[in-house]
Amino acid sequence: MTSTPAAHDCLFCRIVAGEVPATVVAETADAVAFRDLDPRAPTHVLVVPRDHHADVADLAAADPDLLAALVLLGRAVAEQECGGHFRLVFNTGAEAGQSVFHVHGHVVGGTRLGWSPA
Ligand code: DGP
């Protein structure tokens, strides 16, 4: 879905539009990468499409090429910042920890990451 920030009152639409400040580290015609406000690792960057989709499953159904573009932007950020090694996390649904309902991948790296499903 493509629509104006005002139509959604969506925080990440407003960041993409430049209406809310963020530290942008990379961008393409389709997507923007900016630093998470509450970083959990030396590299913690959010990759978001310019178009509004609520979550990664909606994006995959609507525009798989755009989902691929997000993954590649995540890789580009990781190559810039942490040797190309990264975790890409899409929290999907409130119970899974999603708090902003404009799809975003957390690009996390720059330290040795352990594994826990929760
Ligand atoms: P999630 O919980 O998966 O929906 O992740 C949302 C992330 O967005 C969370 O890690 C904090 C980040 N965040 C929330 N508000 C802002 C903001 O205004 N600016 C930036 N840069 N990040 C934000």
Side-chain angles (χ1 to χ4, degrees):
M1 182 198 333
T2 306
S3 55
T4 63
H8 283 288
D9 194 22
C10 168
L11 174 62
F12 288 175
C13 282
R14 297 186 68 206
I15 287 177
V16 166
E19 296 174 5
V20 170
T23 303
V24 173
V25 297
E27 56 187 319
T28 67
D30 301 320
V32 180
F34 56 89
R35 294 205 187 282
D36 195 289
L37 204 58
D38 181 21
R40 308 298 176 93
T43 292
H44 188 169
V45 168
L46 303 175
V47 287
V48 312
R50 293 183 188 277
D51 289 353
H52 183 92
H53 299 270
D55 62 37
V56 69
D58 279 7
L59 176 60
D63 193 342
D65 289 346
L66 184 52
L67 175 55
L70 272 195
V71 174
L72 295 177
L73 183 57
R75 182 177 69 178
V77 169
E79 284 174 345
Q80 276 176 208
E81 300 205 359
C82 48
H85 300 259
F86 65 110
R87 183 169 292 167
L88 182 56
V89 175
F90 292 91
N91 295 328
T92 306
E95 288 289 310
Q98 186 176 5
S99 60
V100 179
F101 289 85
H102 178 132
V103 57
H104 50 283
H106 295 253
V107 178
V108 179
T111 188
R112 180 167 287 275
L113 297 168
W115 170 250
S116 164

Short mmCIF file of all heavy atoms in Angstrom, two decimals, residues 49-80:
data_model
loop_
_atom_site.label_atom_id
_atom_site.label_comp_id
_atom_site.label_asym_id
_atom_site.label_seq_id
_atom_site.Cartn_x
_atom_site.Cartn_y
_atom_site.Cartn_z
N PRO A 49 10.78 -0.04 3.99
CA PRO A 49 10.41 0.40 2.65
C PRO A 49 9.77 1.79 2.71
O PRO A 49 9.17 2.15 3.72
CB PRO A 49 9.38 -0.66 2.21
CG PRO A 49 8.77 -1.15 3.47
CD PRO A 49 9.85 -1.05 4.53
N ARG A 50 9.92 2.52 1.64
CA ARG A 50 9.25 3.83 1.59
C ARG A 50 7.73 3.66 1.58
O ARG A 50 7.01 4.46 2.17
CB ARG A 50 9.71 4.62 0.35
CG ARG A 50 11.18 5.00 0.42
CD ARG A 50 11.60 5.85 -0.78
NE ARG A 50 13.04 6.05 -0.80
CZ ARG A 50 13.69 6.99 -0.11
NH1 ARG A 50 13.00 7.84 0.65
NH2 ARG A 50 15.00 7.09 -0.17
N ASP A 51 7.25 2.62 0.90
CA ASP A 51 5.81 2.34 0.87
C ASP A 51 5.38 1.73 2.21
O ASP A 51 6.14 0.99 2.83
CB ASP A 51 5.47 1.35 -0.24
CG ASP A 51 5.61 1.95 -1.63
OD1 ASP A 51 5.83 3.18 -1.73
OD2 ASP A 51 5.51 1.19 -2.60
N HIS A 52 4.16 2.01 2.56
CA HIS A 52 3.65 1.49 3.83
C HIS A 52 3.08 0.09 3.67
O HIS A 52 2.16 -0.14 2.87
CB HIS A 52 2.55 2.41 4.39
CG HIS A 52 2.04 1.96 5.72
ND1 HIS A 52 2.56 2.42 6.90
CD2 HIS A 52 1.10 1.05 6.06
CE1 HIS A 52 1.95 1.84 7.91
NE2 HIS A 52 1.05 0.99 7.43
N HIS A 53 3.64 -0.86 4.44
CA HIS A 53 3.07 -2.20 4.61
C HIS A 53 3.17 -2.48 6.11
O HIS A 53 4.18 -2.13 6.74
CB HIS A 53 3.86 -3.25 3.83
CG HIS A 53 3.89 -3.00 2.36
ND1 HIS A 53 2.96 -3.51 1.48
CD2 HIS A 53 4.74 -2.27 1.59
CE1 HIS A 53 3.22 -3.13 0.25
NE2 HIS A 53 4.31 -2.37 0.29
N ALA A 54 2.16 -3.14 6.67
CA ALA A 54 2.08 -3.25 8.13
C ALA A 54 3.18 -4.14 8.70
O ALA A 54 3.74 -3.85 9.75
CB ALA A 54 0.72 -3.76 8.55
N ASP A 55 3.45 -5.26 8.02
CA ASP A 55 4.46 -6.18 8.57
C ASP A 55 5.08 -6.98 7.44
O ASP A 55 4.71 -6.83 6.26
CB ASP A 55 3.86 -7.09 9.66
CG ASP A 55 2.74 -7.98 9.14
OD1 ASP A 55 2.83 -8.47 8.00
OD2 ASP A 55 1.78 -8.21 9.91
N VAL A 56 6.04 -7.82 7.79
CA VAL A 56 6.84 -8.47 6.75
C VAL A 56 6.00 -9.46 5.94
O VAL A 56 6.26 -9.65 4.74
CB VAL A 56 8.09 -9.13 7.36
CG1 VAL A 56 7.75 -10.33 8.23
CG2 VAL A 56 9.08 -9.52 6.27
N ALA A 57 5.01 -10.07 6.57
CA ALA A 57 4.18 -11.02 5.82
C ALA A 57 3.31 -10.28 4.80
O ALA A 57 3.17 -10.73 3.65
CB ALA A 57 3.31 -11.83 6.79
N ASP A 58 2.76 -9.15 5.20
CA ASP A 58 2.00 -8.33 4.25
C ASP A 58 2.90 -7.90 3.10
O ASP A 58 2.49 -7.91 1.93
CB ASP A 58 1.45 -7.08 4.93
CG ASP A 58 0.17 -7.34 5.71
OD1 ASP A 58 -0.23 -8.51 5.85
OD2 ASP A 58 -0.42 -6.35 6.20
N LEU A 59 4.13 -7.50 3.44
CA LEU A 59 5.04 -7.07 2.39
C LEU A 59 5.38 -8.22 1.44
O LEU A 59 5.38 -8.05 0.21
CB LEU A 59 6.33 -6.51 3.01
CG LEU A 59 7.42 -6.11 2.03
CD1 LEU A 59 6.94 -5.03 1.06
CD2 LEU A 59 8.67 -5.63 2.77
N ALA A 60 5.64 -9.39 1.99
CA ALA A 60 5.98 -10.55 1.15
C ALA A 60 4.85 -10.88 0.19
O ALA A 60 5.08 -11.23 -0.97
CB ALA A 60 6.30 -11.76 2.04
N ALA A 61 3.61 -10.77 0.69
CA ALA A 61 2.46 -11.07 -0.16
C ALA A 61 2.25 -10.01 -1.24
O ALA A 61 1.91 -10.32 -2.38
CB ALA A 61 1.20 -11.19 0.70
N ALA A 62 2.49 -8.75 -0.86
CA ALA A 62 2.17 -7.64 -1.78
C ALA A 62 3.29 -7.36 -2.76
O ALA A 62 3.03 -6.99 -3.92
CB ALA A 62 1.87 -6.38 -0.97
N ASP A 63 4.54 -7.50 -2.31
CA ASP A 63 5.65 -7.01 -3.14
C ASP A 63 6.95 -7.74 -2.75
O ASP A 63 7.81 -7.18 -2.07
CB ASP A 63 5.80 -5.49 -2.94
CG ASP A 63 6.69 -4.85 -3.98
OD1 ASP A 63 7.47 -5.58 -4.64
OD2 ASP A 63 6.64 -3.61 -4.12
N PRO A 64 7.10 -9.00 -3.18
CA PRO A 64 8.30 -9.76 -2.77
C PRO A 64 9.60 -9.12 -3.24
O PRO A 64 10.63 -9.25 -2.56
CB PRO A 64 8.08 -11.14 -3.39
CG PRO A 64 6.90 -11.04 -4.27
CD PRO A 64 6.12 -9.82 -3.90
N ASP A 65 9.58 -8.43 -4.36
CA ASP A 65 10.82 -7.77 -4.81
C ASP A 65 11.24 -6.68 -3.82
O ASP A 65 12.44 -6.47 -3.59
CB ASP A 65 10.63 -7.14 -6.19
CG ASP A 65 10.54 -8.20 -7.29
OD1 ASP A 65 10.88 -9.37 -7.03
OD2 ASP A 65 10.11 -7.84 -8.40
N LEU A 66 10.25 -6.01 -3.24
CA LEU A 66 10.58 -4.97 -2.27
C LEU A 66 11.14 -5.59 -0.99
O LEU A 66 12.07 -5.04 -0.39
CB LEU A 66 9.34 -4.12 -1.98
CG LEU A 66 9.50 -2.92 -1.06
CD1 LEU A 66 10.63 -1.99 -1.50
CD2 LEU A 66 8.17 -2.14 -0.97
N LEU A 67 10.63 -6.75 -0.61
CA LEU A 67 11.21 -7.45 0.55
C LEU A 67 12.66 -7.83 0.25
O LEU A 67 13.55 -7.65 1.10
CB LEU A 67 10.38 -8.69 0.87
CG LEU A 67 10.92 -9.60 1.99
CD1 LEU A 67 11.17 -8.83 3.28
CD2 LEU A 67 9.96 -10.76 2.23
N ALA A 68 12.92 -8.31 -0.95
CA ALA A 68 14.31 -8.63 -1.32
C ALA A 68 15.18 -7.38 -1.27
O ALA A 68 16.34 -7.43 -0.81
CB ALA A 68 14.35 -9.26 -2.71
N ALA A 69 14.64 -6.26 -1.71
CA ALA A 69 15.41 -5.01 -1.68
C ALA A 69 15.76 -4.62 -0.24
O ALA A 69 16.86 -4.11 0.03
CB ALA A 69 14.61 -3.89 -2.36
N LEU A 70 14.85 -4.89 0.71
CA LEU A 70 15.14 -4.59 2.12
C LEU A 70 16.29 -5.45 2.63
O LEU A 70 17.17 -4.97 3.35
CB LEU A 70 13.93 -4.88 3.00
CG LEU A 70 12.85 -3.85 3.24
CD1 LEU A 70 11.99 -4.29 4.42
CD2 LEU A 70 13.43 -2.47 3.50
N VAL A 71 16.26 -6.74 2.26
CA VAL A 71 17.33 -7.64 2.69
C VAL A 71 18.67 -7.16 2.13
O VAL A 71 19.69 -7.11 2.85
CB VAL A 71 17.04 -9.09 2.25
CG1 VAL A 71 18.21 -10.00 2.58
CG2 VAL A 71 15.76 -9.61 2.91
N LEU A 72 18.68 -6.75 0.89
CA LEU A 72 19.94 -6.31 0.28
C LEU A 72 20.42 -4.99 0.89
O LEU A 72 21.63 -4.77 1.04
CB LEU A 72 19.77 -6.19 -1.23
CG LEU A 72 19.50 -7.52 -1.93
CD1 LEU A 72 19.25 -7.31 -3.42
CD2 LEU A 72 20.64 -8.51 -1.71
N LEU A 73 19.48 -4.12 1.26
CA LEU A 73 19.89 -2.89 1.94
C LEU A 73 20.48 -3.23 3.31
O LEU A 73 21.47 -2.63 3.73
CB LEU A 73 18.69 -1.93 2.07
CG LEU A 73 19.00 -0.58 2.71
CD1 LEU A 73 20.09 0.18 1.95
CD2 LEU A 73 17.72 0.27 2.81
N GLY A 74 19.89 -4.22 3.98
CA GLY A 74 20.46 -4.67 5.25
C GLY A 74 21.88 -5.18 5.07
O GLY A 74 22.77 -4.86 5.87
N ARG A 75 22.10 -5.94 4.02
CA ARG A 75 23.46 -6.42 3.77
C ARG A 75 24.42 -5.26 3.50
O ARG A 75 25.57 -5.25 3.99
CB ARG A 75 23.48 -7.38 2.59
CG ARG A 75 24.89 -7.94 2.32
CD ARG A 75 24.91 -8.95 1.22
NE ARG A 75 24.66 -8.34 -0.09
CZ ARG A 75 24.67 -9.02 -1.24
NH1 ARG A 75 24.90 -10.32 -1.23
NH2 ARG A 75 24.42 -8.40 -2.36
N ALA A 76 23.96 -4.27 2.73
CA ALA A 76 24.83 -3.13 2.44
C ALA A 76 25.21 -2.39 3.72
O ALA A 76 26.37 -1.99 3.90
CB ALA A 76 24.12 -2.19 1.45
N VAL A 77 24.24 -2.21 4.62
CA VAL A 77 24.54 -1.56 5.90
C VAL A 77 25.56 -2.39 6.68
O VAL A 77 26.54 -1.86 7.22
CB VAL A 77 23.25 -1.37 6.73
CG1 VAL A 77 23.57 -0.96 8.16
CG2 VAL A 77 22.33 -0.34 6.06
N ALA A 78 25.35 -3.70 6.72
CA ALA A 78 26.27 -4.56 7.47
C ALA A 78 27.66 -4.56 6.84
O ALA A 78 28.67 -4.63 7.56
CB ALA A 78 25.71 -5.98 7.54
N GLU A 79 27.73 -4.46 5.54
CA GLU A 79 29.06 -4.38 4.90
C GLU A 79 29.75 -3.08 5.28
O GLU A 79 30.96 -3.05 5.50
CB GLU A 79 28.92 -4.53 3.39
CG GLU A 79 28.66 -5.99 2.99
CD GLU A 79 28.36 -6.17 1.50
OE1 GLU A 79 28.07 -5.17 0.82
OE2 GLU A 79 28.41 -7.33 1.06
N GLN A 80 28.98 -2.00 5.39
CA GLN A 80 29.54 -0.70 5.80
C GLN A 80 30.03 -0.75 7.23
O GLN A 80 31.05 -0.14 7.58
CB GLN A 80 28.45 0.39 5.76
CG GLN A 80 28.20 1.03 4.42
CD GLN A 80 27.02 2.03 4.48
OE1 GLN A 80 26.37 2.24 3.47
NE2 GLN A 80 26.74 2.62 5.63
#
